[in-house]
Amino acid sequence: MKRNPFSLSFGKEPESYISRDFQNNEILESFTADNPAYQVCMITGVRGSGKTVALSAIANRLRADAQWIVVDLNPERDLLKMLAAELSNRKDLLELFRDARINLSFLGFGIEIDGEPPVTDIVVALRRMLEKLTKSGKRVLITIDEVSSTQQVREFASQFQIFMREGLNIFLLMTGLYENIYELQNEKTLTFLYRAPKIALKPLSIPLIMQKYKEEFEINEEEALAMAKETMGYSYAFQVLGYLCFTREKPWRELLPEFDAYLEEYVYEKIWSELSSKDKTVLSAMCEENPVKVENIRKRLNMSSNGFTVYRSRLLKKGIVYSPNFGQLAFSLPRFREFVMRSI
Ligand SMILES: Nc1ncnc2c1ncn2[C@@H]1O[C@H](COP(=O)(O)OP(=O)(O)OP(=O)(O)O)[C@@H](O)[C@H]1O
Ligand SMILES: [Mg+2]
């Protein structure tokens, strides 16, 4: 039996992958330009929108290029130390660092050069390595998935900014939920992040999803399109609906209750629990019509136009609602409205 090409696991590049080249290329082109317009970029999006997969796709493209050295860092660890460890552990760079007088033996590994005073500060060691790499025309991409404003991340970002100012070829690509990125960039010492581009992941292309479903399930274009629209281009929903169709061998419409159950269990409950009670009230007031006029929500909640703008803008940035037409709002996630109605 053919194995299921759809996957329910998070953070892993799925076999059924829908290209995001349009958004990814924007970042790639900028990073690879002779004169990069920016060296830091952040990808935001709601849970399950595909941030981790987008980050890996971009990192893998650069990994395939000999000019690039890609290092994935875990935001929970000591990031500067891990970066130094990763760089000095790479066999292909050993030769380059041999004469850089770097002593990393205090990390438990290292390159030692006789007769030179050892470098024991991690920042100095990193700087030497990065200078070597920059001189030999290499570029270093550091990726950090799921950042938030922790001591570790703030410390790293602030040192990164110094290295960048010193003209070193380093690039930083991070992902995070909008609220976490927002908090990080508002740190007084990290205003450079405020100016860095933030790419909000767009829904996957409906025509490409349709194509994938059509090939996989031998259904006609009309059915495949209806199925694709049901996912609203939400990455996780695309996988779940495909997965269910593949395993259950039932018409897809009969699978919608199970589809709801997956969405609820694996993402919507989590998204909901992270919202403020006011956000929840606004979303609840949106349920009566879809799309809904902003004016009607305001009336229902008895909110002023200015007061409402704050909530509107936050929900838009989180990727939970979108504005289909001027003065209107609608839910961005498939069957989220039904979920909200069940939750209130
Ligand atoms: N481009 C894509 N094409 C098809 N499926 C995708 C794509 N990107 C992500 N997915 C699928 O969507 C789901 C979520 O992806 P991913 O783990 O990257 O999301 P995320 O935004 O990092 O979520 P979280 O905020 O929980 O970390 C996974 O099942 C993944 O296989
Ligand atoms: Mg992720």
Side-chain angles (χ1 to χ4, degrees):
M1 206 179 91
K2 186 174 175 287
R3 83 197 176 99
N4 198 331
F6 297 96
S7 150
L8 299 178
S9 50
F10 277 69
K12 218 176 68 188
E13 267 183 83
E15 194 178 316
S16 296
Y17 175 77
I18 304 288
S19 162
R20 271 196 201 274
D21 281 355
F22 196 70
Q23 280 201 307
N24 290 357
N25 285 346
E26 192 185 319
I27 302 174
L28 280 165
E29 274 165 25
S30 164
F31 279 7
T32 53
D34 288 339
N35 249 327
Y38 51 84
Q39 281 167 251
V40 185
C41 180
M42 287 165 280
I43 299 175
T44 73
V46 71
R47 290 192 181 279
S49 57
K51 298 180 293 297
T52 303
V53 168
L55 180 80
S56 317
I58 294 169
N60 289 342
R61 284 273 290 277
L62 293 179
R63 233 186 281 274
D65 180 338
Q67 196 196 357
W68 284 86
I69 294 147
V70 179
V71 180
D72 304 314
L73 295 181
N74 177 345
E76 308 292 326
R77 306 280 293 274
D78 181 338
L79 294 153
L80 288 170
K81 193 167 164 183
M82 287 319 293
L83 178 59
E86 290 281 333
L87 288 177
S88 61
N89 262 343
R90 285 189 47 146
K91 293 208 175 58
D92 53 334
L93 301 180
L94 214 59
E95 200 55 41
L96 199 64
F97 294 151
R98 201 176 294 278
D99 58 348
R101 296 175 208 112
I102 299 161
N103 183 331
L104 291 166
S105 52
F106 64 98
L107 291 174
F109 49 81
I111 313 160
E112 268 190 81
I113 311 296
D114 295 338
E116 292 293 338
V119 176
T120 48
D121 182 278
I122 199 88
V123 171
V124 180
L126 260 178
R127 180 175 289 117
R128 287 214 183 148
M129 285 192 273
L130 292 169
E131 277 168 354
K132 270 277 163 195
L133 291 168
T134 301
K135 270 201 200 105
S136 60
K138 299 262 190 207
R139 292 185 177 193
V140 178
L141 171 70
I142 298 146
T143 77
I144 314 177
D145 195 19
E146 280 192 61
V147 292
S148 53
S149 182
T150 60
Q151 176 69 25
Q152 307 271 42
V153 170
R154 287 196 301 265
E155 214 174 85
F156 181 80
S158 120
Q159 186 56 48
F160 179 91
Q161 179 181 22
I162 295 170
F163 285 152
M164 199 172 68
R165 259 200 248 123
E166 291 171 349
L168 299 171
N169 284 351
I170 44 168
F171 295 77
L172 179 59
L173 185 58
M174 303 189 281
T175 75
L177 296 176
Y178 168 75
E179 52 272 33
N180 293 340
I181 296 263
Y182 180 82
E183 201 189 330
L184 184 66
Q185 71 170 13
N186 282 329
E187 287 293 331
K188 270 196 287 303
T189 52
L190 299 179
T191 45
F192 80 109
L193 291 180
Y194 198 85
R195 293 185 297 270
K198 277 148 290 266
I199 309 243
L201 281 187
K202 296 204 173 78
L204 297 173
S205 145
I206 297 292
L208 292 183
I209 293 184
M210 176 190 85
Q211 189 61 30
K212 198 60 138 202
Y213 282 159
K214 198 171 136 224
E215 283 165 17
E216 210 55 63
F217 302 120
E218 293 170 10
I219 48 181
N220 66 33
E221 201 156 301
E222 207 178 321
E223 272 305 283
L225 181 61
M227 213 177 141
K229 281 187 175 164
E230 194 67 53
T231 70
M232 296 180 74
Y234 177 49
S235 297
Y236 181 63
F238 159 70
Q239 297 290 342
V240 172
L241 195 56
Y243 182 91
L244 292 174
C245 267
F246 193 92
T247 38
R248 305 292 187 265
E249 292 177 357
K250 272 194 205 165
W252 67 272
R253 279 175 232 272
E254 289 175 28
L255 298 167
L256 291 180
E258 221 179 330
F259 179 59
D260 278 349
Y262 268 95
L263 292 174
E264 175 166 335
E265 175 90 5
Y266 289 97
V267 275
Y268 291 174
E269 273 174 358
K270 183 96 179 123
I271 293 175
W272 188 249
S273 73
E274 288 165 342
L275 292 168
S276 72
S277 63
K278 198 77 190 188
D279 282 342
K280 288 180 188 170
T281 312
V282 171
L283 291 172
S284 312
M286 280 179 59
C287 288
E288 269 170 51
E289 328 131 67
N290 192 37
V292 51
K293 280 195 182 139
V294 167
E295 202 187 313
N296 293 349
I297 312 177
R298 284 207 296 106
K299 270 190 207 141
R300 254 169 239 149
L301 298 176
N302 208 0
M303 274 171 103
S304 71
S305 176
N306 278 346
F308 186 72
T309 305
V310 178
Y311 297 102
R312 177 180 173 277
S313 137
R314 198 164 61 201
L315 289 169
L316 282 168
K317 284 184 172 146
K318 283 187 178 182
I320 293 173
V321 304
Y322 72 105
S323 175
N325 290 300
F326 183 76
Q328 288 188 338
L329 286 180
F331 289 99
S332 312
L333 303 174
R335 305 180 68 78
F336 196 73
R337 174 168 170 249
E338 288 75 2
F339 166 77
V340 173
M341 291 196 286
R342 285 197 301 275
S343 304
I344 51 181

mmCIF file of all heavy atoms in Angstrom, residues 10-11 47-48 50-53 145-146 175, ligand 2:
data_model
loop_
_atom_site.group_PDB
_atom_site.id
_atom_site.type_symbol
_atom_site.label_atom_id
_atom_site.label_comp_id
_atom_site.label_asym_id
_atom_site.label_seq_id
_atom_site.Cartn_x
_atom_site.Cartn_y
_atom_site.Cartn_z
ATOM 1 N N PHE A 10 4.488 18.379 13.301
ATOM 2 C CA PHE A 10 4.916 19.765 13.183
ATOM 3 C C PHE A 10 6.418 19.849 12.991
ATOM 4 O O PHE A 10 7.156 18.970 13.432
ATOM 5 C CB PHE A 10 4.531 20.538 14.453
ATOM 6 C CG PHE A 10 3.121 20.998 14.421
ATOM 7 C CD1 PHE A 10 2.091 20.086 14.504
ATOM 8 C CD2 PHE A 10 2.819 22.339 14.279
ATOM 9 C CE1 PHE A 10 0.771 20.502 14.459
ATOM 10 C CE2 PHE A 10 1.505 22.771 14.233
ATOM 11 C CZ PHE A 10 0.483 21.849 14.323
ATOM 12 N N GLY A 11 6.843 20.918 12.338
ATOM 13 C CA GLY A 11 8.261 21.240 12.311
ATOM 14 C C GLY A 11 9.110 20.391 11.399
ATOM 15 O O GLY A 11 10.317 20.524 11.376
ATOM 16 N N ARG A 47 0.247 29.720 14.922
ATOM 17 C CA ARG A 47 0.671 28.319 15.090
ATOM 18 C C ARG A 47 0.171 27.470 13.926
ATOM 19 O O ARG A 47 -0.978 27.597 13.530
ATOM 20 C CB ARG A 47 0.096 27.751 16.385
ATOM 21 C CG ARG A 47 0.737 28.357 17.576
ATOM 22 C CD ARG A 47 0.388 27.611 18.841
ATOM 23 N NE ARG A 47 1.036 28.265 19.959
ATOM 24 C CZ ARG A 47 2.304 28.081 20.292
ATOM 25 N NH1 ARG A 47 3.051 27.226 19.614
ATOM 26 N NH2 ARG A 47 2.848 28.730 21.286
ATOM 27 N N GLY A 48 1.044 26.620 13.437
ATOM 28 C CA GLY A 48 0.647 25.724 12.359
ATOM 29 C C GLY A 48 0.629 26.353 10.981
ATOM 30 O O GLY A 48 0.201 25.735 10.011
ATOM 31 N N GLY A 50 3.271 27.245 9.314
ATOM 32 C CA GLY A 50 4.396 26.741 8.519
ATOM 33 C C GLY A 50 5.685 27.518 8.693
ATOM 34 O O GLY A 50 6.539 27.510 7.802
ATOM 35 N N LYS A 51 5.870 28.148 9.829
ATOM 36 C CA LYS A 51 7.094 28.925 10.059
ATOM 37 C C LYS A 51 8.339 28.047 10.066
ATOM 38 O O LYS A 51 9.326 28.363 9.425
ATOM 39 C CB LYS A 51 7.002 29.659 11.414
ATOM 40 C CG LYS A 51 5.874 30.664 11.501
ATOM 41 C CD LYS A 51 5.841 31.343 12.860
ATOM 42 C CE LYS A 51 5.470 30.415 14.004
ATOM 43 N NZ LYS A 51 4.126 29.838 13.933
ATOM 44 N N THR A 52 8.265 26.951 10.805
ATOM 45 C CA THR A 52 9.445 26.090 10.918
ATOM 46 C C THR A 52 9.805 25.499 9.558
ATOM 47 O O THR A 52 10.975 25.448 9.181
ATOM 48 C CB THR A 52 9.193 24.960 11.948
ATOM 49 O OG1 THR A 52 8.841 25.566 13.189
ATOM 50 C CG2 THR A 52 10.416 24.108 12.150
ATOM 51 N N VAL A 53 8.786 25.082 8.834
ATOM 52 C CA VAL A 53 9.033 24.503 7.510
ATOM 53 C C VAL A 53 9.608 25.562 6.561
ATOM 54 O O VAL A 53 10.548 25.289 5.806
ATOM 55 C CB VAL A 53 7.732 23.878 6.941
ATOM 56 C CG1 VAL A 53 7.873 23.526 5.474
ATOM 57 C CG2 VAL A 53 7.363 22.632 7.751
ATOM 58 N N ASP A 145 14.638 29.099 15.568
ATOM 59 C CA ASP A 145 13.211 28.834 15.440
ATOM 60 C C ASP A 145 12.524 29.135 16.776
ATOM 61 O O ASP A 145 13.050 28.795 17.832
ATOM 62 C CB ASP A 145 13.018 27.360 15.066
ATOM 63 C CG ASP A 145 11.613 27.070 14.567
ATOM 64 O OD1 ASP A 145 10.912 28.019 14.175
ATOM 65 O OD2 ASP A 145 11.211 25.893 14.562
ATOM 66 N N GLU A 146 11.358 29.751 16.676
ATOM 67 C CA GLU A 146 10.532 30.012 17.873
ATOM 68 C C GLU A 146 11.209 30.864 18.924
ATOM 69 O O GLU A 146 11.410 30.435 20.058
ATOM 70 C CB GLU A 146 10.109 28.689 18.524
ATOM 71 C CG GLU A 146 8.945 28.073 17.799
ATOM 72 C CD GLU A 146 8.324 26.930 18.601
ATOM 73 O OE1 GLU A 146 7.857 27.196 19.723
ATOM 74 O OE2 GLU A 146 8.308 25.798 18.103
ATOM 75 N N THR A 175 12.160 32.828 13.580
ATOM 76 C CA THR A 175 10.708 32.715 13.471
ATOM 77 C C THR A 175 10.119 32.918 14.859
ATOM 78 O O THR A 175 10.804 32.706 15.861
ATOM 79 C CB THR A 175 10.245 31.320 13.002
ATOM 80 O OG1 THR A 175 10.394 30.419 14.099
ATOM 81 C CG2 THR A 175 11.033 30.824 11.813
HETATM 82 MG MG MG B 2 7.358 25.810 14.491
#
